[in-house]
């Protein structure tokens, strides 16, 4: 029996015009028996975050998702933070329970669920992460939780990569490098999985890719790009041409969204319905962007 209760949800960020979350979550709500649950994109510039949190409390929004550039700064305005989000240092989902705002990071759940779907065993693996931003932190924490053997972080800014590694060294074996360093290239040669968390290659800049020599990877290494648009980035195309198994970011997007919906409603939504809506929305957005060129 569908619920007749009305509840409001949102995603905040700057920008949020092309976010897929509203249609993805609305489809999940409707299929789960919550047709009167609303989900809207709300553009929030830097400096308006505290007012936004207070406003959502006053309006009794049940929850909201958080995207760039607020994932880190939102933490200081919340009443409590889930342990995963605290370690990662970023929140992408907030649940309002009677005025008590609690932050979560569902990216780590989505990342690990996507690895499981791909039948990749992260335990004892040698992993290489490209990038040192918020998404990379969720990936690194997921690998630490799965007891990865060794994690290498490579980034354009070597000092940032080293600081990143220092934040996680108490949880596992990890080191950070400029991705042009010889030590980084040596670690590529023993990698079981290479994960791109940078935006290089994301639509519409589809000709870009991280400056990493994929030929250094050992045979059978999984090449994973958390970008989902396009479905096959230049990074993944190159890996496939070299004979490596690949994985894109669609499953991580859907599975972190599924976890957010579970936190919002207590109901686990149908991922296939979410996937269908996301693909339709991506096709529509890409057509609009192509018309503007």
């Amino acid at each position: 029996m569908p619920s007749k209760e009305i509840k409001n949800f949102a995603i905040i960020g700057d920008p949020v015009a092309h976010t897929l979350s509203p249609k993805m979550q609305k489809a999940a709500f409707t299929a789960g028996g919550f047709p009167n649950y609303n989900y809207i994109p709300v553009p929030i510039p830097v400096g308006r975050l505290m007012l936004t949190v207070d406003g959502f409390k006053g309006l009794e929004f049940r929850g909201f998702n958080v995207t760039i550039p607020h994932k880190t700064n939102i933490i200081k305005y919340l009443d409590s933070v889930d342990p995963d989000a605290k370690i990662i240092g970023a929140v992408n989902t907030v649940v309002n329970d009677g005025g008590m705002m609690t932050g979560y990071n569902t990216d780590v759940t989505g990342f690990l669920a996507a690895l499981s779907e791909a039948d990749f065993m992260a335990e004892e693996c040698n992993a290489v992460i490209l990038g040192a931003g918020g998404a990379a932190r969720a990936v690194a924490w997921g690998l630490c939780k799965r007891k990865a053997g060794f994690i290498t972080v490579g980034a354009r800014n070597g000092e940032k990569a080293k600081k990143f590694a220092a934040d996680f060294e108490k949880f596992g074996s990890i080191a950070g490098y400029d991705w042009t360093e010889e030590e980084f290239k040596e670690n590529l040669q023993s990698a079981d999985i290479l994960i791109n968390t940078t935006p290089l290659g994301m639509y519409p800049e589809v000709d870009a890719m991280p400056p990493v020599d994929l030929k250094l990877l050992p045979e059978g290494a999984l090449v994973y790009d958390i970008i989902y648009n396009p479905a096959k980035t230049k990074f993944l195309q190159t890996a496939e041409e070299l004979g490596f198994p690949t994985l894109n970011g669609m499953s991580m997007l859907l599975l972190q969204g599924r976890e957010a919906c579970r936190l919002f409603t207590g109901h686990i939504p149908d991922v296939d319905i979410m996937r269908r809506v996301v693909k339709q929305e991506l096709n529509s957005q890409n057509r609009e962007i192509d018309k503007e060129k």
Side-chain angles (χ1 to χ4, degrees):
M1 184 76 177
S3 169
K4 294 183 179 180
E5 189 175 14
I6 297 174
K7 289 186 179 180
N8 294 316
F9 302 84
I11 180 167
I12 64 170
D14 189 19
V16 289
H18 285 84
T19 179
L20 301 175
S21 293
K23 290 190 176 179
M24 179 176 72
Q25 293 292 0
K26 181 60 180 176
F29 291 160
T30 301
F34 307 102
N36 294 326
Y37 282 17
N38 304 306
Y39 190 106
I40 58 173
V42 182
I44 302 296
V46 173
R48 305 287 293 180
L49 205 48
M50 183 176 71
L51 292 174
T52 299
V53 174
D54 288 343
F56 282 158
K57 282 185 180 181
L59 293 170
E60 297 185 349
F61 270 60
R62 172 60 177 152
F64 57 97
N65 289 120
V66 186
T67 189
I68 295 171
H70 303 312
K71 287 186 176 185
T72 298
N73 290 336
I74 190 72
I75 291 175
K76 59 189 172 186
Y77 302 118
L78 303 177
D79 300 295
S80 65
V81 178
D82 174 77
D84 279 348
K86 190 172 293 186
I87 290 170
I88 294 166
V91 160
N92 72 341
T93 302
V94 178
V95 176
N96 179 10
D97 187 7
M100 175 69 71
M101 294 288 198
T102 302
Y104 301 86
N105 190 302
T106 66
D107 284 337
V108 63
T109 304
F111 168 69
L112 292 176
L115 286 187
S116 295
E117 276 197 351
D119 294 323
F120 181 85
M121 300 296 292
E123 290 77 5
E124 301 299 323
C125 77
N126 287 329
V128 177
I129 301 172
L130 303 178
R137 295 182 69 87
V139 167
W141 175 231
L143 291 168
C144 288
K145 290 183 74 171
R146 285 292 183 269
K147 309 298 183 186
F150 192 83
I151 303 168
T152 300
V153 179
R156 181 182 290 108
N157 185 325
E159 288 305 310
K160 184 177 180 180
K162 289 175 173 58
K163 184 180 183 304
F164 178 111
D167 290 342
F168 288 92
E169 60 185 7
K170 63 183 175 183
F171 303 114
S173 299
I174 185 169
Y177 302 95
D178 181 312
W179 53 27
T180 63
E181 290 183 66
E182 288 303 315
E183 292 91 338
F184 175 77
K185 295 176 182 178
E186 288 174 8
N187 288 359
L188 276 176
Q189 296 175 47
S190 60
D192 298 301
I193 183 171
L194 172 64
I195 308 155
N196 176 40
T197 70
T198 78
L200 294 171
M202 184 183 296
Y203 194 91
E205 306 298 331
V206 296
D207 291 327
M209 66 176 283
V212 174
D213 186 358
L214 297 178
K215 293 178 182 177
L216 294 174
L217 291 170
E219 182 179 355
L222 176 63
V223 179
Y224 183 4
D225 196 332
I226 70 167
I227 292 172
Y228 55 84
N229 186 22
K232 192 178 294 183
T233 58
K234 184 177 180 180
F235 183 68
L236 293 186
Q237 290 176 32
T238 304
E240 282 190 358
E241 290 167 2
L242 293 170
F244 294 107
T246 61
L247 180 66
N248 74 6
M250 180 63 75
S251 288
M252 181 174 171
L253 168 73
L254 293 168
L255 294 169
Q256 68 80 24
R258 180 182 70 178
E259 176 64 6
C261 186
R262 184 193 69 80
L263 291 168
F264 289 151
T265 67
H267 169 78
I268 299 176
D270 187 331
V271 171
D272 289 335
I273 290 173
M274 298 169 75
R275 179 179 287 108
R276 184 163 61 248
V277 170
V278 165
K279 287 184 176 179
Q280 290 173 349
E281 185 64 10
L282 281 173
N283 289 337
S284 175
Q285 287 186 9
N286 290 347
R287 284 194 297 269
E288 288 179 10
I289 292 172
D290 286 340
K291 287 178 183 178
E292 293 172 0
K293 289 184 176 180

